[in-house]
Amino acid sequence: SKIDRNGNWGQPTPMSAPVNSSQNEGTMCFDSRGKTLWFTRCPSEPNMQLGCDIFMATQKGDNWNEPKRLELKDHDSTNVGHPCVSPDGKTLIFASNMAGGFGGVDLWMSTYDKRSDSWSLPINLGAEINTAQNDMFPTWGPNGELFYSSNGLVGMGGLDIYKATQVGEEMKW
C-alpha cells in the first residue's frame, strides 16, 4: 500500500513472486533502507509436520530476488519465524520452539557474518527475556529497545507487550 500526498493509504496489493508463493508467508521486516526483506514462510503440505522458516530476499529494481532460506533450525519440525532485524541488518531476533529454550516459544538471536555470507548459530536471549510460556513477536524500537509479547510474565492476561533495554554493547537486556 502506498501513501498519497494527503497522507492516506491506498488499496493494498500483494507482493509478487518470488516472495509470495503457494506456501504461507507471514510476518516480515525490512532493513533500514528497505532493500532487504526477511519473512516467515510455512509449508502447507497435507499430513506433514514441517516447521516454518525465515527467508531473506533482496530488492532488484522494482522486483525481489529469489528468497534464500536462513539455516537457523535444529530440526525439520522446528518452527522459526517472526523475524526482527536490527537497523544495521546484522542482528536477527526471531521466535522459535527449538530445543534448549525455556519452554513454549522463546526469542533467539543470530548475527550476520559478511565474509562468509551466513548467519551464526542461534543463541537464546536468556532468562531476562524468555519465560516458561511463549515469548514472541519481537520488534526493534526507535532507540534500540526490544519490544516483544509474552504470556509468561505478569500482565493484563494473554499476550502482553513488554519493552527491554539493551545493557552495554552486547545483546544483553
Side-chain angles (χ1 to χ4, degrees):
S1 180
K2 295 184 179 183
I3 298 176
D4 66 18
R5 285 187 277 176
N6 299 322
N8 299 313
W9 286 97
Q11 188 68 22
T13 58
M15 291 187 74
S16 61
V19 172
N20 278 343
S21 72
S22 63
Q23 306 298 311
N24 297 307
E25 285 86 26
T27 308
M28 60 187 234
C29 65
F30 293 91
D31 68 352
S32 60
R33 295 179 25 229
K35 300 290 184 188
T36 305
L37 164 71
W38 290 262
F39 64 95
T40 305
R41 179 177 282 166
C42 304
S44 55
E45 299 294 328
N47 304 321
M48 294 187 78
Q49 291 277 8
L50 300 173
C52 300
D53 287 289
I54 295 174
F55 284 75
M56 184 176 103
T58 55
Q59 191 173 28
K60 184 177 181 182
D62 291 338
N63 299 312
W64 293 92
N65 289 329
E66 188 67 36
K68 295 187 325 185
R69 184 173 59 86
L70 275 57
E71 299 290 336
L72 299 170
K73 296 176 13 172
D74 60 348
H75 190 273
D76 287 349
S77 63
T78 298
N79 286 304
V80 295
H82 308 289
C84 163
V85 70
S86 60
D88 64 6
K90 294 179 182 175
T91 303
L92 179 71
I93 296 178
F94 60 93
S96 179
N97 64 341
M98 73 176 74
F102 288 82
V105 175
D106 282 359
L107 295 183
W108 297 76
M109 176 189 73
S110 179
T111 54
Y112 181 69
D113 178 21
K114 188 174 184 173
R115 183 173 290 183
S116 65
D117 189 27
S118 65
W119 292 86
S120 70
L121 289 175
I123 299 169
N124 189 286
L125 287 188
E128 294 82 13
I129 299 291
N130 293 308
T131 67
Q133 298 297 315
N134 296 308
D135 307 288
M136 48 194 165
F137 307 117
T139 301
W140 291 99
N143 299 313
E145 312 95 331
L146 178 64
F147 290 92
Y148 65 101
S149 292
S150 178
N151 63 357
L153 297 168
V154 177
M156 301 298 289
L159 287 168
D160 291 310
I161 300 172
Y162 295 88
K163 176 178 83 169
T165 305
Q166 190 173 346
V167 177
E169 296 296 314
E170 296 179 27
M171 284 292 153
K172 301 289 182 191
W173 306 93

